Amino acid sequence: MLEGLKDSVLLANRRLVSSGLVVLTWGNASGYDPETGLVVIKPSGVDYDRMSADDMVVVDLGGKVVEGSLRPSSDTATHIEIYRNFAGVRGVVHTHSVEATAWAQAAREIPCYGTTHADTFHGSVPVTRTLSESEVEEAYELNTGRVIVERFAGLEPLAVPGVLVAGHAPFTWGKSPADAANHAIALEAIARMARLTEAVSAASPVPLLAPYVGEKHYQRKHGKNAYYGQSAPDGGNG
Amino acid sequence: MLEGLKDSVLLANRRLVSSGLVVLTWGNASGYDPETGLVVIKPSGVDYDRMSADDMVVVDLGGKVVEGSLRPSSDTATHIEIYRNFAGVRGVVHTHSVEATAWAQAAREIPCYGTTHADTFHGSVPVTRTLSESEVEEAYELNTGRVIVERFAGLEPLAVPGVLVAGHAPFTWGKSPADAANHAIALEAIARMARLTEAVSAASPVPLLAPYVGEKHYQRKHGKNAYYGQSAPDGGNG
Amino acid sequence: MLEGLKDSVLLANRRLVSSGLVVLTWGNASGYDPETGLVVIKPSGVDYDRMSADDMVVVDLGGKVVEGSLRPSSDTATHIEIYRNFAGVRGVVHTHSVEATAWAQAAREIPCYGTTHADTFHGSVPVTRTLSESEVEEAYELNTGRVIVERFAGLEPLAVPGVLVAGHAPFTWGKSPADAANHAIALEAIARMARLTEAVSAASPVPLLAPYVGEKHYQRKHGKNAYYGQSAPDGGNG
Amino acid sequence: MLEGLKDSVLLANRRLVSSGLVVLTWGNASGYDPETGLVVIKPSGVDYDRMSADDMVVVDLGGKVVEGSLRPSSDTATHIEIYRNFAGVRGVVHTHSVEATAWAQAAREIPCYGTTHADTFHGSVPVTRTLSESEVEEAYELNTGRVIVERFAGLEPLAVPGVLVAGHAPFTWGKSPADAANHAIALEAIARMARLTEAVSAASPVPLLAPYVGEKHYQRKHGKNAYYGQSAPDGGNG
């Protein structure tokens, strides 16, 4: 069942490790198949180098395990809430990558200081609000998904393919598991660049990138007339 | 004698190196066998890539070498003091990993700024007091163990599986040598995240993680009803 | 056509990745053949580990593709503008390497704080002005090249083999693609050293390197009587 | 001639690269044979992965090449000046490792903030004065050695096995080329730890390590009654 998607999800999970974004078992990637309405996700707390495609767990949008002998990631309900609300999303990634997590812990949006940021994120990288005590106690992972969706009111998820959950860590997404992993890698680099920019800047606050430059970069990769990459105007090769 | 434990201790030592926590020979891991009351520990000052399981040294809780042709780690007395006082601990790790050592040198507890921290440490990472001159001169390594134990009055060692020795570096522990190594890896990441959180925060002091979020994260991994990992409620797979 | 140059360009591109300067597909290297007046450049948005020398694209100085089935780098017009204006340049590299990009985003020149800097850059690493809105909208990549050339009025490009494009990232160049890649690697190290120097300095502003020391270092590698390396007085082996 | 020493020098040079201390060709290691009074040193500007033991250059204490077809390191005169003045030194290493170079560029001694420092350096890591203009112009590398020796008036070189040359970078030494390389690795870690300690410290200035703790650590590795390592009281296995 969903063999190709399982391979893609396994590869995305491994990529998080090889890119240095995941320490121990702190991360997970999933993929969504719109035809069957099923999600393929990493099992919880399993070592990355021992995982095979067969270990991937298949769940439906209600969170019920449809296939697989292992428990799904403890963050499964968050992934599902993203798939249920963000049209066109086919992959979700969660990591505790250090630089992005620092901004999440500081509950601070990452401002757009340069074209590297603008190439991937259309505007600041948003931060959710903190969950209330009852939201944490009752259905924590589902409510984590809900505050993400709440924060994206008025935003286009595929144009801003990631978020910082306050006090926690980043989630990213995309048109495939590989795309979501690329956005996790990009977010970590952007978070680091923003921190270093503030460290070396002579001005305070650091001036933002001129909006027309950011727009140009975003559009040359993702707009109707995109000309970056081999498959433009899609331009989705990161 | 204790062949399985020797293998576990060797693997934990190698893991510290492959995880980038150990420079030169600055680190050691040990394991404790409660049936025999013996400790297996790395030999002192030996290159990690030349060590075999047979090089591991077996000592009793009095510090006497029971088996092995090499000298045990110069920090053996500290390891023993931890095993003698912290019930349930079966592995101890000592490193000079850079980020955790910076907090130790600053003699500053690591505050809980996020869920990564709460997943592993139930509360701040504590710091010992500085040893007195006579404590240093008389039985330095034993007294290092004693100030660690002293600092844990009122704390549950398996819920706070590590400490920063002021002016020195971290010690971590766990239910096995592998568990202790995982906690050393987690501590280094947490120390780095805390430093970067303070660097990017717009607020000073940086607000701590809401206690009910930290409690949730700690309990979903380690509590009675833990649901993280495949072996929950034990949840001990890091 | 230009097989040797294609190999050199491929190797320079791979070197950027193996040196940790390139994340995802954020970088490109090219080479220029003065006899034919042609430029060999990396294709746009292609994974580095799948590229072969045959994938390199050949363009003329008007930007027209002369050979190759893939689209050239989206930054091709910037590379060409550099070759058209900077005599003796035979290789150009563009990356979003983190430390250099931080200075570019801060729109701050990198001051010469030490001999590592002086060995490669004769004076500060310059920053361009920000492009105007019409320069961005009309011929963005060409105009990026133009503001680079504009900034080098009165400077010797081969003595200052790189620039920070404000809000964007660095470009470096040299007498070959390998030389340009070496300068990208050197620039990243210099940018990091400058940031750390400011972080640990007790004086503010940090005193610059004594000019006569910088001159000595630059000349011993690049001057008429250079004595660094095996091929001095050329001294171009970095 | 001196085949064993050539191997040791080659290995020390390679170790600098594998430890991440050397970028491009920015570093060199040498060894001294007291019986013949000859120095074996890396050739200038040669790629580390192409070097063989036969490429090592043999020079006498006057700087004359005795054997070898390549030019010796451009820093040879500095190495020789160290061998001529520091009794017992049999290996010298020079790198531009980033963290140590930052302190050198800031012309700031590295204070002893912890036991990692005290294990290798007996007291602060010293900084030389800046060379005068005539010292730079006349015999730059020799005079670099002279200001190092001048700075060590009253210090024991084997107890403080390294120095920061102001505006330049570190030199370290030891009882063998391997020992000098170990000290370069230790110095880089210590420099980084000191920077991070200041970054996280709540106190300013950061309190130094209690002198009796530093003394204990230094003596347990290097003193008459050293008990660290397998070959104590020598204790020289780092």
Side-chain angles (χ1 to χ4, degrees):
Chain A
M1 184 188 263
L2 301 171
E3 303 305 320
L5 188 57
K6 284 180 187 171
D7 284 342
S8 301
V9 169
L10 177 63
L11 283 175
N13 275 293
R14 284 196 181 144
R15 188 107 184 288
L16 301 179
V17 177
S18 64
S19 301
L21 270 65
V22 163
V23 165
L24 299 170
T25 58
W26 304 344
N28 41 69
S30 70
Y32 175 62
D33 178 60
E35 289 200 24
T36 57
L38 296 175
V39 172
V40 173
I41 194 162
K42 176 183 164 288
S44 179
V46 172
D47 276 1
Y48 287 83
D49 43 2
R50 290 190 216 156
M51 281 191 305
S52 70
D54 287 344
D55 292 330
M56 299 300 109
V57 186
V58 183
V59 298
D60 64 22
L61 287 179
K64 210 185 104 192
V65 174
V66 173
E67 192 190 70
S69 55
L70 297 169
R71 290 186 195 197
S73 164
S74 55
D75 297 308
T76 299
T78 314
H79 288 242
I80 289 175
E81 189 66 8
I82 292 170
Y83 290 124
R84 289 172 61 102
N85 288 276
F86 290 173
V89 169
R90 302 283 180 267
V92 171
V93 158
H94 173 50
T95 79
H96 287 221
S97 67
V98 173
E99 299 276 350
T101 299
W103 290 82
Q105 292 190 162
R108 191 171 159 216
E109 298 201 353
I110 306 178
C112 181
Y113 288 141
T115 63
T116 317
H117 182 125
D119 280 336
T120 302
F121 286 87
H122 199 226
S124 300
V125 179
V127 184
T128 68
R129 66 170 170 83
T130 298
L131 278 73
S132 71
E133 188 155 4
S134 65
E135 285 171 331
V136 167
E137 278 167 16
E138 276 158 41
Y140 175 57
E141 291 80 10
L142 171 61
N143 285 324
T144 298
R146 282 179 177 156
V147 297
I148 292 172
V149 172
E150 175 188 313
R151 180 63 188 79
F152 272 71
L155 292 177
E156 168 51 56
L158 285 175
V160 184
V163 72
L164 305 171
V165 176
H168 188 159
F171 281 82
T172 58
W173 46 79
K175 293 175 181 170
S176 65
D179 202 26
N182 281 346
H183 293 154
I185 294 168
L187 175 56
E188 183 68 0
I190 288 164
R192 180 169 171 83
M193 281 176 186
R195 176 173 66 85
L196 301 191
T197 300
E198 296 186 348
V200 301
S201 178
S204 174
V206 178
L208 298 178
L209 182 67
Y212 56 86
V213 180
E215 197 62 25
K216 173 70 182 178
H217 267 262
Y218 190 77
Q219 297 300 338
R220 79 172 188 164
K221 263 193 150 168
H222 306 282
K224 265 189 304 190
N225 301 310
Y227 52 93
Y228 180 93
Q230 300 302 322
S231 55
D234 181 21
N237 57 353
Chain B
M1 184 188 264
L2 301 171
E3 302 305 320
L5 188 56
K6 284 180 187 171
D7 283 342
S8 302
V9 169
L10 177 63
L11 284 174
N13 275 294
R14 284 198 181 142
R15 188 106 184 288
L16 302 178
V17 177
S18 65
S19 302
L21 270 65
V22 163
V23 165
L24 299 170
T25 58
W26 304 344
N28 42 69
S30 71
Y32 175 63
D33 178 59
E35 288 199 25
T36 57
L38 296 175
V39 173
V40 173
I41 193 162
K42 177 183 164 288
S44 179
V46 171
D47 276 2
Y48 288 83
D49 43 2
R50 287 189 218 158
M51 279 192 307
S52 70
D54 287 344
D55 292 330
M56 300 300 109
V57 186
V58 182
V59 298
D60 64 23
L61 287 179
K64 210 186 105 192
V65 174
V66 172
E67 190 190 73
S69 54
L70 297 168
R71 291 187 194 197
S73 164
S74 55
D75 297 308
T76 298
T78 313
H79 289 242
I80 289 175
E81 189 66 8
I82 292 171
Y83 290 123
R84 289 172 61 103
N85 287 276
F86 290 174
V89 169
R90 302 282 180 266
V92 171
V93 158
H94 172 50
T95 79
H96 287 221
S97 66
V98 173
E99 299 277 349
T101 299
W103 290 83
Q105 292 190 162
R108 192 173 158 214
E109 297 200 354
I110 306 178
C112 181
Y113 287 141
T115 63
T116 319
H117 182 125
D119 279 335
T120 303
F121 285 88
H122 199 227
S124 300
V125 179
V127 184
T128 68
R129 66 169 170 83
T130 299
L131 279 72
S132 70
E133 188 155 4
S134 65
E135 285 170 330
V136 167
E137 277 167 15
E138 277 159 40
Y140 175 58
E141 292 79 10
L142 170 60
N143 285 324
T144 298
R146 282 179 177 156
V147 296
I148 293 173
V149 172
E150 175 188 311
R151 179 65 187 79
F152 272 70
L155 292 177
E156 168 51 57
L158 284 176
V160 184
V163 71
L164 306 170
V165 176
H168 189 159
F171 282 80
T172 58
W173 46 80
K175 293 175 183 171
S176 65
D179 202 27
N182 281 347
H183 293 153
I185 293 168
L187 175 56
E188 183 67 1
I190 288 164
R192 181 169 170 83
M193 283 177 184
R195 177 172 67 85
L196 300 190
T197 300
E198 295 186 349
V200 301
S201 179
S204 175
V206 179
L208 298 178
L209 181 68
Y212 57 85
V213 180
E215 197 62 24
K216 173 70 182 178
H217 267 262
Y218 189 78
Q219 297 301 339
R220 79 172 188 163
K221 263 193 149 168
H222 307 281
K224 266 190 305 189
N225 302 309
Y227 53 92
Y228 180 92
Q230 300 301 322
S231 55
D234 180 21
N237 57 353
Chain C
M1 185 189 263
L2 301 171
E3 302 305 319
L5 188 56
K6 284 180 187 170
D7 284 342
S8 300
V9 169
L10 177 64
L11 283 175
N13 276 292
R14 284 195 182 145
R15 188 107 183 287
L16 301 178
V17 177
S18 65
S19 301
L21 270 63
V22 163
V23 165
L24 299 171
T25 59
W26 305 344
N28 41 69
S30 70
Y32 175 62
D33 178 59
E35 287 198 28
T36 58
L38 296 175
V39 172
V40 173
I41 193 163
K42 177 183 164 287
S44 180
V46 172
D47 277 1
Y48 288 83
D49 43 2
R50 288 190 218 157
M51 280 192 306
S52 70
D54 287 343
D55 292 330
M56 300 300 110
V57 186
V58 182
V59 298
D60 65 22
L61 287 179
K64 211 186 103 192
V65 173
V66 173
E67 193 190 70
S69 55
L70 297 168
R71 290 186 195 196
S73 164
S74 55
D75 297 308
T76 299
T78 314
H79 289 240
I80 290 174
E81 189 67 7
I82 292 170
Y83 290 124
R84 290 172 62 103
N85 288 276
F86 289 174
V89 169
R90 302 282 180 269
V92 171
V93 158
H94 173 51
T95 79
H96 287 220
S97 66
V98 173
E99 299 276 350
T101 299
W103 290 82
Q105 292 190 163
R108 191 171 160 216
E109 298 200 355
I110 306 177
C112 181
Y113 288 141
T115 63
T116 318
H117 182 127
D119 280 335
T120 302
F121 286 88
H122 199 227
S124 300
V125 179
V127 184
T128 68
R129 64 170 171 83
T130 299
L131 279 72
S132 71
E133 187 155 4
S134 65
E135 285 170 331
V136 167
E137 276 167 17
E138 277 159 41
Y140 175 57
E141 291 81 9
L142 171 60
N143 285 324
T144 297
R146 282 179 178 157
V147 297
I148 292 172
V149 172
E150 176 189 311
R151 179 63 187 80
F152 272 71
L155 292 178
E156 168 51 54
L158 285 176
V160 184
V163 72
L164 306 170
V165 176
H168 188 158
F171 281 82
T172 57
W173 47 79
K175 293 175 181 171
S176 66
D179 202 26
N182 281 346
H183 294 153
I185 293 167
L187 176 55
E188 183 68 0
I190 288 164
R192 180 168 171 82
M193 282 176 186
R195 176 172 66 85
L196 300 190
T197 300
E198 295 186 349
V200 300
S201 179
S204 175
V206 179
L208 299 178
L209 181 67
Y212 56 85
V213 179
E215 197 63 24
K216 172 69 183 179
H217 267 261
Y218 190 77
Q219 297 302 338
R220 79 171 188 164
K221 261 193 150 168
H222 307 282
K224 266 188 306 189
N225 302 310
Y227 54 92
Y228 180 92
Q230 300 301 323
S231 56
D234 182 21
N237 56 352
Chain D
M1 184 190 263
L2 301 171
E3 302 305 319
L5 188 57
K6 283 180 186 169
D7 284 342
S8 301
V9 169
L10 177 64
L11 284 174
N13 275 293
R14 284 196 182 143
R15 188 108 184 286
L16 301 178
V17 177
S18 64
S19 302
L21 270 65
V22 163
V23 166
L24 299 170
T25 58
W26 305 344
N28 40 69
S30 70
Y32 175 62
D33 178 59
E35 288 198 27
T36 58
L38 296 176
V39 172
V40 173
I41 192 162
K42 177 182 164 287
S44 180
V46 172
D47 278 0
Y48 288 83
D49 44 3
R50 288 190 217 156
M51 279 192 306
S52 70
D54 287 343
D55 292 331
M56 299 300 110
V57 186
V58 183
V59 298
D60 64 23
L61 287 179
K64 211 186 104 191
V65 173
V66 172
E67 192 190 71
S69 55
L70 298 168
R71 290 185 195 198
S73 164
S74 56
D75 297 308
T76 299
T78 313
H79 289 241
I80 290 175
E81 189 66 8
I82 292 171
Y83 290 124
R84 290 172 61 103
N85 287 276
F86 290 173
V89 169
R90 303 282 181 264
V92 170
V93 158
H94 172 51
T95 79
H96 287 220
S97 66
V98 173
E99 299 277 349
T101 299
W103 291 82
Q105 292 190 162
R108 192 173 158 214
E109 298 200 354
I110 306 178
C112 181
Y113 288 140
T115 63
T116 319
H117 182 125
D119 279 336
T120 303
F121 285 87
H122 199 227
S124 300
V125 179
V127 185
T128 68
R129 65 169 171 85
T130 300
L131 278 72
S132 71
E133 188 155 4
S134 65
E135 284 170 333
V136 167
E137 277 168 15
E138 277 159 40
Y140 175 56
E141 291 80 10
L142 171 60
N143 284 324
T144 298
R146 282 178 178 157
V147 297
I148 292 172
V149 172
E150 176 188 312
R151 179 64 187 79
F152 272 70
L155 292 178
E156 168 51 54
L158 285 176
V160 184
V163 72
L164 306 170
V165 176
H168 189 157
F171 281 82
T172 58
W173 46 79
K175 293 176 182 170
S176 65
D179 201 27
N182 281 346
H183 294 154
I185 293 168
L187 175 56
E188 184 66 2
I190 288 164
R192 181 169 171 82
M193 282 177 185
R195 177 173 66 85
L196 300 190
T197 300
E198 295 186 350
V200 301
S201 178
S204 176
V206 178
L208 299 179
L209 181 68
Y212 57 84
V213 180
E215 197 63 24
K216 173 71 181 178
H217 267 262
Y218 190 78
Q219 297 300 338
R220 80 171 188 165
K221 261 194 151 167
H222 306 283
K224 265 188 304 188
N225 302 310
Y227 53 92
Y228 179 92
Q230 300 302 322
S231 55
D234 181 21
N237 58 352

